[in-house]
Amino acid sequence: MEKDTHFILGVYDDEDVLLQAVEKVRSTGVKIHEVFTPYPVHGLEDVLGYKRSRLPIAAFLFGILGTSLAMTMQFYMMRFDWPMIIGGKDYAAFPDFIPVGFEMTVLLAAFGMVGVFMISSNLKPWAQPRIFDERSSDDKHIMAIDLANNSTMEEEKIREILASSGATEINKKKF
C-alpha cells in the first residue's frame, strides 16, 4: 500500500464529540493524518498535539530585513545618489526615514509570511487539492486516518475505534 493513498474517514456531527474522539483515537495508538472542520474548533490543535508555529519568527526576520533595506536605501539615496538639502536638514536625517522604514517593514514581513506559509503548507498554484469529504466545508467534522501510517493495526480495528468514539459515518477514501 502506498503512503497517503488509502484513508479511513470518521464523520462527526458535533465538535465536542470530535474533541473527545481525537483524544480517544490517539490514546489507542492510531496516528491521525488530519482533522477537517467547517469552522475553527477551539482546542483542537492542542488535542492533536500540534507544536507552536514558527511563523512569528519568520515575520520578525522579514521585518528586520525590511527595516534594514529601507534604511540602507534611503541613506544611500539621500547621501550619495541624489543628495538634496531640504529645509537646511542633514542629508541623512533619521526621523525622516521612519515612515518609509515602517512601511517597508510591514511590506516585507507580510510578503515573507505569505511566502513561508505557502512553502511550509506545500501550497502550489499547480497542485490539485485533496478533498476528503465535501461536507467538511458545510456542517461535518472529518477525521482522516492514513492506513499506511497505521500499518500495525488492521482496518477493521480502526473502524471499531472510530465507531466507539462517536463517528456517525465511517468511509474509506482512495486517492
Side-chain angles (χ1 to χ4, degrees), residues 1-122:
M1 206 173 340
E2 292 181 30
K3 189 174 181 140
D4 291 337
T5 58
H6 296 322
F7 293 90
I8 297 290
L9 305 177
V11 181
Y12 297 88
D13 292 332
D14 187 27
E15 65 186 61
D16 295 327
V17 175
L18 174 73
L19 288 171
Q20 292 173 359
V22 168
E23 287 178 348
K24 182 174 182 177
V25 169
R26 286 191 72 211
S27 68
T28 60
V30 175
K31 296 179 186 103
I32 299 172
H33 175 72
E34 190 61 75
V35 176
F36 302 96
T37 61
Y39 49 85
V41 176
H42 180 70
L44 183 61
E45 58 275 350
D46 296 331
V47 175
L48 284 170
Y50 287 166
K51 297 176 187 170
R52 189 161 185 232
S53 173
R54 294 184 297 205
L55 196 58
I57 297 169
F60 177 75
L61 294 175
F62 278 107
I64 293 293
L65 177 67
T67 304
S68 59
L69 282 176
M71 294 302 165
T72 304
M73 173 189 75
Q74 291 178 90
F75 183 76
Y76 172 75
M77 283 187 218
M78 294 299 289
R79 185 76 174 136
F80 301 108
D81 188 36
W82 193 270
M84 291 186 280
I85 300 175
I86 301 170
K89 295 179 185 171
D90 187 20
Y91 290 119
F94 181 71
D96 298 336
F97 293 174
I98 291 175
V100 175
F102 173 77
E103 294 299 330
M104 282 286 284
T105 301
V106 171
L107 180 71
L108 263 85
F111 282 155
M113 282 192 319
V114 167
V116 167
F117 175 75
M118 291 182 82
I119 290 168
S120 66
S121 299
N122 200 21

Side-chain angles (χ1 to χ4, degrees), residues 158-174:
I158 295 173
R159 285 178 178 271
E160 289 173 12
I161 293 169
L162 287 175
S164 68
S165 70
T168 57
E169 291 178 36
I170 301 168
N171 305 319
K172 187 170 183 177
K173 181 81 172 191
K174 180 182 177 188

